[in-house]
């Protein structure tokens, strides 16, 4: 008998459609979908959905604007701050408050699942929270012996960034929102000895009435005026920002690339090169896919598999995770762990896409 699957997700989203297609391919009954907004309003709905032994897969709430606002409002209450207005499409607003609401929701979900021993989870809520806190996640990986870029730590302001660069004797760093995703607000920052600065980012600024608003866009923006860069960094730091040392990515013709690896049950499976001519190679930014095996030599492939397997062991309660890596000269560095990193339509490993592969694993180990 097939193990029932419940998705905590957004009905109609691409993730749900791909999972349902994979279940149909394997001749499994459709998964039942519990909407994030409904669970947040009525947690008991999950008890009903998991009354019979089954599997729960938690998908990100970002596809549902109503769920995002519920988590944002909850986070503001937890932080003791006034509610913020609803962000406009693509706006980066109060990411730290959103995460506070999300982490609280994950803690509540973990407590609820503890009372439902018949339910198994694809990725445990606590580990999803940890992977969503990008700075805490990198520190966690480093503590487990996973090679990562050197961390400079939190950035409180543009002025603080300058002191960090001086203390670490660096001129180039990546600045990353602590609770961002999909390169939202990431900044490739450079300066030279003469003090000239450059910031390349997916965040575009709108400055009105003395306020700086940030919007995530596909087209990369480059800022060179000192006042613009200071405003950008200060606006991101207000939502929690951290810095890590710059890593040069390997070249592919006139472009460069990094790699995404999906691990299933702790083992490296799907892998793809993300190739682009810009600083950020995320595929949703209209970069292109490449064949990882065709780009990496034997030593690089071995480093890729060793680092991703080691990273997966740092999250023993997560069965399907994504890792972004830079691999050069037989050495790998993990840039990020992603609890929701399996959205790679059409990418095959041993004949299966990411959703079919994970379903096959759980069917074998029902």
């Amino acid at each position: 008998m097939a193990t029932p699957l419940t998705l905590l997700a957004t009905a109609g989203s691409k993730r749900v459609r791909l999972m349902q297609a994979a279940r149909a391919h394997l001749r499994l009954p459709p998964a039942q979908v519990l909407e994030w907004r409904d669970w947040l309003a009525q947690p008991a709905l999950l008890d009903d959905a998991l009354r019979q032994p089954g599997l729960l897969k938690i998908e990100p709430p970002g596809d549902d604007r109503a769920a995002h606002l519920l988590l944002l409002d909850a986070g503001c209450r937890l932080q003791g701050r006034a509610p913020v207005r609803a962000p406009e499409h693509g706006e980066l607003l109060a990411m730290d408050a959103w995460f506070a609401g999300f982490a609280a929701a994950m803690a509540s979900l973990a407590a609820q699942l503890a009372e439902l021993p018949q339910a198994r989870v694809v990725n445990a809520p606590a580990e999803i929270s940890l992977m969503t806190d990008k700075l805490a996640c990198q520190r966690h990986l480093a503590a487990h012996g996973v090679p990562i870029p050197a961390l400079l730590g939190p950035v409180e302001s543009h002025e603080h960034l300058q002191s960090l660069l001086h203390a670490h004797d660096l001129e180039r760093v990546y600045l990353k929102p602590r609770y961002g995703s999909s390169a939202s607000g990431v900044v490739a920052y450079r300066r030279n000895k003469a003090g000239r600065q450059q910031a390349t980012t997916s965040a575009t600024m709108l400055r009105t009435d003395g306020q700086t608003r940030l919007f995530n866009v596909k087209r990369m923006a480059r800022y060179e005026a000192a006042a613009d860069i200071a405003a950008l960094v200060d606006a991101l730091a207000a939502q929690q920002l951290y810095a890590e040392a710059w890593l040069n990515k390997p070249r592919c013709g006139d472009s460069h690339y990094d790699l995404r690896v999906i691990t299933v049950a702790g083992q490296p499976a799907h892998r793809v090169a993300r190739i682009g001519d810009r600083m950020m190679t995320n595929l949703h930014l209209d970069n292109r896919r490449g064949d990882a095996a065709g780009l990496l030599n034997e030593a690089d492939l071995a480093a890729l598999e060793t680092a991703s397997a080691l990273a997966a062991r740092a999250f023993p309660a997560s069965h399907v995770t994504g890792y972004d890596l830079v691999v050069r000269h037989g050495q790998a560095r993990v840039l990020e762990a992603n609890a929701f990193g399996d959205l790679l339509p059409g990418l095959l490993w041993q004949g299966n896409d990411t959703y079919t592969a994970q379903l096959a694993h759980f069917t074998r180990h029902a």
Side-chain angles (χ1 to χ4, degrees):
M1 181 178 177
T3 301
L5 172 66
T6 297
L7 300 174
L8 179 60
T10 302
S13 67
K14 182 180 289 188
R15 293 173 184 271
V16 170
R17 294 198 304 270
L18 289 170
M19 178 59 81
Q20 300 292 34
R23 289 186 70 80
H25 176 74
L26 294 174
R27 299 182 179 178
L28 297 172
Q32 63 175 331
V33 179
L34 175 57
E35 293 260 18
W36 261 93
R37 62 173 74 183
D38 294 337
W39 173 70
L40 289 169
Q42 300 181 67
L45 291 174
L46 185 65
D47 298 336
D48 296 336
L50 299 178
R51 195 171 301 280
Q52 300 299 321
L55 185 66
L56 173 67
K57 187 168 194 280
I58 304 160
E59 298 286 14
D63 291 327
D64 184 352
R65 179 173 172 80
H68 182 90
L69 292 176
L70 287 169
L71 294 170
L72 184 58
D73 288 345
C76 287
R77 290 194 300 272
L78 288 167
Q79 292 184 335
R81 60 198 275 188
V84 298
R85 58 177 174 78
E88 296 182 18
H89 178 72
E91 186 174 8
L92 306 180
L93 177 67
M95 289 185 283
D96 53 335
W98 175 88
F99 177 76
F102 177 75
M106 288 292 94
S108 296
L109 180 55
Q112 190 173 6
L113 289 170
E115 301 297 322
L116 299 169
Q118 71 275 20
R120 293 182 298 153
V121 291
V122 174
N123 290 346
E127 293 190 354
I128 291 175
S129 288
L130 179 55
M131 282 185 262
T132 307
D133 181 340
K134 301 304 182 183
L135 177 56
C137 179
Q138 290 300 91
R139 288 169 168 166
H140 176 80
L141 288 170
H144 284 76
V146 179
I148 65 167
L151 287 173
L152 280 67
V155 175
E156 298 172 3
S157 65
H158 179 261
E159 183 179 359
H160 182 224
L161 170 63
Q162 302 309 306
S163 65
L164 285 173
L165 292 170
H166 177 75
H168 291 270
D169 194 23
L170 292 173
E171 305 296 337
R172 301 188 301 168
V173 292
Y174 273 93
L175 306 175
K176 298 184 176 183
R178 183 165 181 167
Y179 311 115
S181 64
S182 302
S184 296
V186 173
V187 179
Y189 175 88
R190 299 187 272 197
R191 70 176 189 184
N192 61 23
K193 299 296 185 182
R196 183 177 178 183
Q197 304 174 70
Q198 183 184 92
T200 304
T201 178
S202 61
T204 188
M205 289 193 297
L206 177 63
R207 301 173 73 183
T208 57
D209 300 326
Q211 293 186 331
T212 301
R213 297 173 64 188
L214 303 174
F215 292 84
N216 194 47
V217 295
K218 281 190 174 183
R219 183 175 182 139
M220 304 297 288
R222 178 178 293 176
Y223 297 99
E224 296 184 343
D228 287 340
I229 295 174
L232 172 69
V233 175
D234 287 348
L236 288 168
Q239 302 180 56
Q240 295 204 34
L241 186 70
Y242 71 98
E244 67 180 27
W246 186 295
L247 283 184
N248 288 323
K249 295 179 180 179
R251 303 294 299 183
C252 174
D254 293 332
S255 303
H256 52 254
Y257 68 92
D258 59 14
L259 300 124
R260 164 66 61 88
V261 177
I262 306 299
T263 62
V264 178
Q267 296 303 311
H270 305 75
R271 67 282 310 266
V272 64
R274 310 186 303 179
I275 305 172
D277 56 6
R278 298 174 292 180
M279 302 293 185
M280 287 69 168
T281 55
N282 301 66
L283 294 174
H284 79 285
L285 296 175
D286 293 335
N287 294 305
R288 63 189 188 275
R289 295 184 183 187
D291 177 24
L295 289 170
L296 304 181
N297 60 32
E298 186 175 341
D300 287 341
L301 280 171
L304 175 80
E305 299 205 350
T306 298
S308 53
L310 185 61
R313 285 200 290 274
F315 298 101
S318 296
H319 298 277
V320 182
T321 51
Y323 299 97
D324 297 338
L325 305 96
V326 167
V327 184
R328 297 184 71 203
H329 309 308
Q331 294 186 320
R333 295 288 184 272
V334 176
L335 304 176
E336 181 177 314
N338 191 331
F340 308 119
D342 55 357
L343 182 59
L344 290 164
L347 181 64
L348 302 182
W349 173 251
Q350 298 179 347
N352 292 320
D353 67 16
T354 58
Y355 294 92
T356 305
Q358 59 191 272
L359 287 173
H361 165 73
F362 283 106
T363 299
R364 288 194 303 268
H365 297 87

